[in-house]
Amino acid sequence: AQRVTQPEKLLSVFKGAPVELKCNYSYSGSPELFWYVQYSRQRLQLLLRHISRESIKGFTADLNKGETSFHLKKPFAQEEDSAMYYCALAKYSGNTPLVFGKGTRLSVIA
Amino acid sequence: EAGVAQSPRYKIIEKRQSVAFWCNPISGHATLYWYQQILGQGPKLLIQFQNNGVVDDSQLPKDRFSAERLKGVDSTLKIQPAKLEDSAVYLCASSPVHRGDNEQFFGPGTRLTVL
């Protein structure tokens, strides 16, 4: 069975400091990995996906198949980045259910 | 485009009562998901529909949970009878089948409290 692990429940950083939210997964196939974000009083929304290899709001994430990791990084945190971040896995491309980690709450301190 | 709509937003019931949640996906989205999110956890899939057919309901507790999407658009999720451990946020999500990129669009959720 597939599993997503986010080891940190809460991560606090100062504004302008680098951020790294960790995500590890277990799945024997070739999954798709995603980061979803939920800002205060907003719905869960897609931040980025590994297949697109794009940077969204300054965030990037690289899929490391050897370490089965998909860590989310940003070089300079902003206060508006404070939110709940969920790493998620889909077994294959197409319309498949997501398996989510427990989430990491990022708090950026001014 | 209008987002995924859910109602009610909040519901408080006593254990052993029944409750129903409603979801209206984004227009044209063939795939619809119901997730359960218990406090402190990530969302967990309950059921997936493709149009009006069930694709995956392996994690749905079928002794008390049921869901339908009769016309391939709106969906309802029912719990009967509710237990204390059903207290959670119930999220509905939809995705357009033709994209195949797995982006799911989430509704605001229904927060259920079972007393």
Side-chain angles (χ1 to χ4, degrees), chain B residues 92-113:
Chain B
C92 179
S94 69
S95 61
V97 68
H98 64 271
R99 281 176 56 170
D101 62 6
N102 259 330
E103 179 172 3
Q104 296 180 19
F105 297 83
F106 284 82
T110 296
R111 182 176 298 277
L112 173 67
T113 301

Side-chain angles (χ1 to χ4, degrees), chain A residues 43 49 86 92 94-96 98, chain B residues 4 37 48 95 100-102:
Chain A
R43 352 181 134 197
R49 71 199 89 184
Y86 293 95
Y92 44 83
N95 298 89
T96 52
L98 296 171
Chain B
V4 176
Q37 185 173 19
Q48 177 188 358
S95 61
D101 62 6
N102 259 330

Side-chain angles (χ1 to χ4, degrees), chain A residues 1-80:
Chain A
Q2 54 272 33
R3 185 186 304 155
V4 176
T5 303
Q6 294 179 250
E8 304 131 332
K9 288 183 70 172
L10 173 65
L11 184 63
S12 296
V13 300
F14 285 102
K15 179 182 173 181
V19 174
E20 183 179 47
L21 286 78
K22 291 184 168 44
C23 172
N24 289 90
Y25 67 92
S26 62
Y27 180 58
S28 55
S30 295
E32 285 194 34
L33 274 297
F34 305 82
W35 278 98
Y36 276 75
V37 62
Q38 188 167 25
Y39 301 103
S40 180
R41 297 189 183 85
Q42 294 188 27
R43 352 181 134 197
L44 196 59
Q45 58 186 287
L46 178 67
L47 179 63
L48 54 79
R49 71 199 89 184
H50 89 270
I51 57 171
S52 60
R53 294 184 154 274
E54 56 192 347
S55 172
I56 304 291
K57 299 184 179 183
F59 284 97
T60 59
D62 290 319
L63 180 60
N64 185 322
K65 293 185 178 180
E67 296 183 358
T68 60
S69 67
F70 188 57
H71 303 326
L72 183 68
K73 301 177 183 179
K74 185 170 182 177
F76 308 104
Q78 303 298 315
E79 289 180 75
E80 55 265 30

Side-chain angles (χ1 to χ4, degrees), chain B residues 57-115:
Chain B
D57 64 356
S58 58
Q59 298 182 86
L60 187 73
K62 299 181 186 64
D63 57 334
R64 298 184 301 106
F65 286 65
S66 64
E68 59 184 15
R69 194 183 183 200
L70 291 175
K71 296 183 179 178
V73 180
D74 294 6
S75 176
T76 55
L77 175 70
K78 297 179 182 177
I79 308 175
Q80 182 178 15
K83 292 186 175 181
L84 296 177
E85 58 261 35
D86 298 331
S87 293
V89 175
Y90 290 85
L91 295 167
C92 179
S94 69
S95 61
V97 68
H98 64 271
R99 281 176 56 170
D101 62 6
N102 259 330
E103 179 172 3
Q104 296 180 19
F105 297 83
F106 284 82
T110 296
R111 182 176 298 277
L112 173 67
T113 301
V114 183
L115 302 175

Side-chain angles (χ1 to χ4, degrees), chain A residues 9 36-39 82-86 102-106:
Chain A
K9 288 183 70 172
Y36 276 75
V37 62
Q38 188 167 25
Y39 301 103
S82 295
M84 196 73 186
Y85 292 80
Y86 293 95
K102 292 184 177 182
T104 297
R105 180 168 297 283
L106 175 64

